[in-house]
């Protein structure tokens, strides 16, 4: 089961906006609106940041937003802050044999 | 508040089995499923499987078929994941997470399983 493709790293200065891409195929991202994004700080459990492509759970900052176009989903972090430095993973439902797949992960660095 | 508390770290020999527990609280257990996700040292997240707490239906990752079993105890609101025929590349932190095959929301703290002779 191939993982969704993410850039290995993205960086930005405090206050800037960055976007992380997550590329799949028509049987996962392109076919369903079940894309989630997770933030993981070192040594910690992941935390849900976005679900169903663009919805934010209660308590998640509105600086985080999600979108999708075709087979690619995106997570945008605006007003970048030091606390946003972490690993980010996308995840999607897939109609293939294994029904859920994660992305390869992106390390966000705040310069 | 929703909490998922997992059992402690394990050290196992190759070929052995391990069973990780995940005790849920703060919500109606039977209304959600439990996913299992693992993360090898320095690596990304890998989805392992899912069990519905309301009817015991399961779905596992193809690569783990035949080695993983997920169960639910609705009396104690605890989910279990057993992995058999352990190999060195099964060394990882194992997480449980509430949700379905469409995504998860709350996560357990993780359980380190080390496979070493």
């Amino acid at each position: 089961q191939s993982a969704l493709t993410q850039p290995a790293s993205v960086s930005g200065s405090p206050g800037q906006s960055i976007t992380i891409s997550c590329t799949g195929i028509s049987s996962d991202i392109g076919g369903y609106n079940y894309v989630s994004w997770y933030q993981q700080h070192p040594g910690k459990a992941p935390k849900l940041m976005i679900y169903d492509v663009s919805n934010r759970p209660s308590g998640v900052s509105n600086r985080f937003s999600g979108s999708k176009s075709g087979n690619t989903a995106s997570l945008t972090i605006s007003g970048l802050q030091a606390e946003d430095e972490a690993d980010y993973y996308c995840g999607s439902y897939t109609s293939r044999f294994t029904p859920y797949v994660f992305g390869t992960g992106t390390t966000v660095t705040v310069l | 508040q929703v909490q998922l508390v997992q059992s402690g770290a394990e050290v196992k020999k190759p070929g052995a089995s391990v069973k990780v527990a995940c005790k849920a609280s703060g919500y109606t257990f039977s209304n959600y499923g439990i996913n299992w996700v693992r993360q090898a040292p320095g690596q990304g997240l890998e989805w392992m499987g899912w069990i519905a707490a309301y009817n015991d239906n399961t779905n596992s990752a193809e690569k783990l078929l035949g080695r993983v079993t997920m169960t639910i105890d609705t009396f104690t609101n605890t989910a279990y994941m057993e992995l058999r025929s352990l190999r060195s590349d099964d060394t990882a932190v194992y997480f449980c997470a509430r949700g379905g095959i469409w995504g998860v929301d709350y996560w357990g703290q993780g359980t380190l399983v080390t496979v070493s002779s």
Side-chain angles (χ1 to χ4, degrees):
Chain A
Q1 185 74 11
S2 297
L4 306 173
T5 301
Q6 299 181 232
S9 63
V10 173
S11 62
S13 299
Q16 286 187 326
S17 293
I18 61 169
T19 297
I20 304 168
S21 62
C22 172
T23 302
I25 58 177
S26 58
S27 58
D28 43 60
I29 292 177
Y32 306 92
N33 289 325
Y34 291 132
V35 179
S36 296
W37 289 91
Y38 307 93
Q39 176 194 65
Q40 187 181 33
H41 287 107
K44 300 294 187 183
K47 174 187 175 183
L48 177 67
M49 305 303 284
I50 296 287
Y51 67 96
D52 295 352
V53 176
S54 60
N55 294 295
R56 263 189 322 274
S58 173
V60 172
S61 170
N62 59 9
R63 298 186 297 104
F64 292 84
S65 61
S67 62
K68 188 186 86 166
S69 177
N71 295 336
T72 299
S74 298
L75 174 72
T76 297
I77 309 175
S78 58
L80 200 61
Q81 298 180 1
E83 67 207 46
D84 301 331
E85 192 162 284
D87 292 329
Y88 291 82
Y89 294 91
C90 59
S92 175
Y93 169 79
T94 166
S95 58
R96 289 174 287 176
F97 190 93
T98 299
Y100 198 82
V101 62
F102 285 103
T104 49
T106 299
T107 298
V108 168
T109 302
V110 181
L111 301 172
Chain B
Q1 72 284 19
V2 175
Q3 279 196 306
L4 299 173
V5 179
Q6 299 183 222
S7 49
E10 303 261 14
V11 179
K12 297 291 183 181
K13 293 192 183 302
S17 297
V18 68
K19 193 169 187 177
V20 179
C22 170
K23 184 170 176 58
S25 61
Y27 69 99
T28 303
F29 186 66
S30 58
N31 284 355
Y32 294 83
I34 294 288
N35 288 255
W36 290 92
V37 177
R38 69 179 179 179
Q39 186 171 36
Q43 302 300 308
L45 302 175
E46 179 185 11
W47 187 84
M48 300 179 64
W50 166 80
I51 181 166
Y54 36 87
N55 62 7
D56 287 358
N57 278 354
T58 61
N59 207 315
S60 304
E62 189 171 13
K63 69 177 285 188
L64 295 174
L65 280 180
R67 288 211 298 141
V68 66
T69 299
M70 292 165 291
T71 55
I72 288 281
D73 182 343
T74 53
F75 292 102
T76 61
N77 288 356
T78 302
Y80 298 92
M81 185 284 299
E82 181 180 33
L83 188 61
R84 298 176 294 278
S85 302
L86 289 169
R87 309 185 292 245
S88 58
D89 62 355
D90 290 318
T91 293
V93 176
Y94 288 75
F95 295 100
C96 61
R98 187 184 79 163
I101 54 176
W102 52 87
V104 299
D105 50 13
Y106 291 91
W107 295 68
Q109 84 275 19
T111 296
L112 175 62
V113 174
T114 303
V115 182
S116 173
S117 55

